[in-house]
Amino acid sequence: MRLLGLHILDVSLILAYFITMIWIGKRLRERVHSTEEYFIGGRRMGKFFQFLLNFGASTDSSQAAAVSREVYRQGIAGMWIQYLVLFLTPFYWFTAMLLRRARVITLGDFFTERFESKFLGGAFAVFTIFMVLLGSAVSYLVSAKTFMALTAKPASEYSTAEKWRVDSYNEYRELRNLYSEGRLSEAQRPRYQELRSLESQGRLAALVSYVKPAQFYFVYGGIVCIYVMLGGFMAAAMTDVVQGVLMILFSCILIPFGLLKIGGFSGLHAAVPEHMFWLFGTEA
């Protein structure tokens, strides 16, 4: 049995996860008795929570897609698109200790106190809000695209318009490959330009999903809002704990299963060119 293209077991796991998260948020609400409890969790988080909170703050759903894309294109050197952040990690440790000892909540508060400038603190707050909105938008977009790929319609259920979008996209890919290889004929060039224009306008699609982007955004965003409103900062921290553990666990599980699928490291080296294993883009 399938629902929106997903096996009923997959749907059950997704629903169970969201229900569990909302239940945790509801339970944490019982501990919230003041604004201090809501915004900073009563300053009761220990090292374990602080570690996973920083881990969650420095990662998001878009990074997995970006790293996967670059590794597919460039090989293992593509990981540097995310490894660059590795050198910033120690600053998370220092700033966390600094804020705790300074008895302030945010860096904006720290700037206000340290430089005696409410303008500087306010400017930092505005900048942070903008970056959060931008980061959230990218994360929501990546999450929506991932979910839509998981809930793709079979070709037999396409409408006439949907079939045209997918067929035109496949044609565009073929012409694009010919163009990149320098084998695109003059007769094919006008069609390639036409399809390229349509693709840039978002009118072509590699697949058609049961779920529309707007539907996903409202449901996904609504669940997040309800959860955070219920439990405040502790709820957000608990989310980072659960998701951090799951990310580490699933990452560790994925590697042996992937290697098993392709025949171990020998199968991997046989299937992938040698230069794809160069961490720094060269043999050195």
Side-chain angles (χ1 to χ4, degrees), residues 117-131:
S117 172
K118 291 185 178 180
F119 172 79
L120 185 60
F124 180 83
V126 171
F127 173 77
T128 301
I129 291 172
F130 172 77
M131 293 303 297

Side-chain angles (χ1 to χ4, degrees), residues 35-234:
T35 54
E36 183 182 21
E37 292 278 351
Y38 186 84
F39 286 109
I40 58 177
R43 299 183 184 273
R44 292 194 306 268
M45 288 190 299
K47 296 179 180 178
F48 178 74
F49 273 92
Q50 191 67 53
F51 165 76
L52 288 172
L53 184 62
N54 288 335
F55 178 79
S58 58
T59 58
D60 61 70
S61 58
S62 64
Q63 293 170 354
V67 173
S68 299
R69 179 194 65 214
E70 292 305 316
V71 169
Y72 178 80
R73 292 174 53 194
Q74 305 179 36
I76 195 172
M79 291 194 299
W80 283 107
I81 192 175
Q82 185 58 37
Y83 272 16
L84 291 173
V85 185
L86 185 65
F87 302 105
L88 300 177
T89 304
F91 288 97
Y92 284 101
W93 307 336
F94 301 145
T95 54
M97 294 176 61
L98 177 64
L99 293 178
R100 185 175 181 84
R101 290 184 177 276
R103 309 300 291 178
V104 295
I105 300 175
T106 67
L107 279 175
D109 295 328
F110 174 77
F111 291 149
T112 300
E113 295 293 332
R114 173 64 180 81
F115 300 102
E116 298 182 353
S117 172
K118 291 185 178 180
F119 172 79
L120 185 60
F124 180 83
V126 171
F127 173 77
T128 301
I129 291 172
F130 172 77
M131 293 303 297
V132 168
L133 290 175
L134 180 62
S136 298
V138 173
S139 297
Y140 273 51
L141 177 63
V142 172
S143 299
K145 286 184 176 294
T146 302
F147 190 76
M148 290 172 67
L150 293 173
T151 56
K153 285 184 179 180
S156 58
E157 296 186 21
Y158 287 171
S159 65
T160 303
E162 291 170 344
K163 186 176 186 304
W164 175 84
R165 292 182 66 195
V166 175
D167 290 344
S168 297
Y169 178 81
N170 292 331
E171 182 184 0
Y172 167 69
R173 285 187 59 187
E174 294 176 2
L175 294 176
R176 184 180 61 185
N177 291 336
L178 292 175
Y179 176 80
S180 62
E181 296 170 1
R183 298 190 295 113
L184 188 68
S185 66
E186 289 298 326
Q188 294 172 316
R189 193 171 295 274
R191 179 60 174 169
Y192 169 69
Q193 295 294 342
E194 177 187 0
L195 292 175
R196 182 181 179 183
S197 176
L198 292 173
E199 199 276 336
S200 65
Q201 298 171 28
R203 297 174 62 182
L204 307 184
L207 54 86
V208 178
S209 173
Y210 287 103
V211 180
K212 303 299 182 184
Q215 297 171 342
F216 176 85
Y217 295 144
F218 277 110
V219 174
Y220 188 67
I223 292 174
V224 172
C225 289
I226 292 172
Y227 180 77
V228 174
M229 289 172 64
L230 283 174
F233 185 70
M234 279 300 296

